[in-house]
Amino acid sequence: MTDQEQSLVSHLVELRSRLIKAVMTMLILIVVMFPFAGEIYTLIASPVINNLAQGTEMIATGVLSPFLTPFKMVIILAVIISMPMIIYQMWAFVAPGLYKSEKRVATPILISSIVLFYMGCAFAYFVVFPIIFVFLPGIAPEGVAYMPDINSYLDIVVRLFFAFGLAFEIPVAVIILIMLGVTSAEKLAKSRPYVIVGIFVVAMLLTPPDPSTQILLAIPMWLLFEFGLLMGQALKKKSQKANQ
């Protein structure tokens, strides 16, 4: 076996080890949370439960929904909570091939990406959910009882958690593009009208057909884009001064 083949095998072995650690973290969290799956689902569903009309409640239309839906919620939460470990294992795998200067830039970007993802999920739960689940029951036609299905609610929760979590990563994406020289803050600033239109289109595609939810996603995305421009420009200037 040549040195190149040995190097490839060692990298594959290390990659497998990193993946196993990430998967084991998720499995441990699932095992720990599973006995409390019902309570966890009730907690996550509290924004809609608290706004149901008196005498109404959520329903389960599927035969196995009372068991499978809380279990799926536990799996999704395990993935979300495991995100720092997953990203760390990815970082530990690629870090040995980076220069010291690249590591100095990459480390804060990785940390901020994790924090921003959780901020996006928290924004969805504490700000967006209470608004849309006050709005939706109010627009139900007369004579129609608003009683959401637990599985449908889970689908919306997952969609909005990841939509807002990924949307809050915009500053990181902008900074990376500027630092790598793919584009510049000036070019992005000139393209601002197109970016704003694109943001609203993305918000429309990622959220339920509810204007308030789309606006609640689009406005933070726009502000985060502007923040990414400022930070990317500042870091680029700092990098250029350091190289002089």
Side-chain angles (χ1 to χ4, degrees), residues 217-231:
L217 177 58
I219 291 178
M221 287 174 70
W222 180 18
L223 296 175
L224 289 165
F225 168 75
E226 299 293 345
F227 177 73
L229 277 183
L230 294 174
M231 291 300 298

Side-chain angles (χ1 to χ4, degrees), residues 6-205:
Q6 288 178 340
S7 177
L8 177 60
V9 170
S10 64
H11 278 84
L12 291 175
V13 170
E14 184 183 0
L15 178 60
R16 185 186 65 176
S17 173
R18 300 290 178 189
L19 290 174
I20 290 173
K21 289 177 182 177
V23 171
M24 287 301 298
T25 302
M26 288 188 285
L27 290 176
I28 290 169
L29 285 170
I30 291 171
V31 170
V32 170
M33 291 191 292
F34 179 70
F36 311 100
E39 291 82 355
I40 292 171
Y41 186 89
T42 301
L43 176 64
I44 301 297
S46 60
V48 67
I49 293 173
N50 294 339
N51 290 293
L52 290 174
Q54 189 173 4
T56 60
E57 55 190 9
M58 298 183 75
I59 60 173
T61 56
V63 175
L64 297 177
S65 291
F67 169 76
L68 288 181
T69 303
F71 181 58
K72 286 192 287 186
M73 177 70 82
V74 165
I75 294 174
I76 291 160
L77 280 180
V79 173
I80 292 173
I81 296 171
S82 302
M83 202 62 70
M85 174 59 77
I86 295 169
I87 293 176
Y88 170 75
Q89 294 300 331
M90 292 168 56
W91 166 247
F93 179 71
V94 302
L98 299 177
Y99 295 109
K100 287 185 179 180
S101 58
E102 292 173 332
K103 289 181 182 179
R104 284 197 297 268
V105 174
T107 301
I109 287 177
L110 283 172
I111 295 172
S112 61
S113 66
I114 295 171
V115 172
L116 286 169
F117 180 82
Y118 285 137
M119 285 177 62
C121 293
F123 184 83
Y125 182 77
F126 291 107
V127 178
V128 179
F129 287 6
I131 292 175
I132 64 174
F133 292 116
V134 167
F135 171 77
L136 290 176
I139 63 171
E142 188 176 350
V144 175
Y146 181 76
M147 302 172 68
D149 175 63
I150 60 173
N151 196 52
S152 297
Y153 177 75
L154 175 63
D155 292 340
I156 291 178
V157 165
V158 173
R159 187 173 174 180
L160 291 179
F161 270 167
F162 282 98
F164 279 86
L166 295 176
F168 272 57
E169 300 290 339
I170 286 178
V172 175
V174 172
I175 290 170
I176 290 173
L177 289 174
I178 293 173
M179 293 297 293
L180 293 177
V182 175
T183 186
S184 65
E186 292 75 17
K187 288 181 181 178
L188 288 174
K190 289 179 181 178
S191 303
R192 184 178 284 109
Y194 304 102
V195 171
I196 293 172
V197 171
I199 284 172
F200 275 89
V201 171
V202 170
M204 180 182 66
L205 295 174

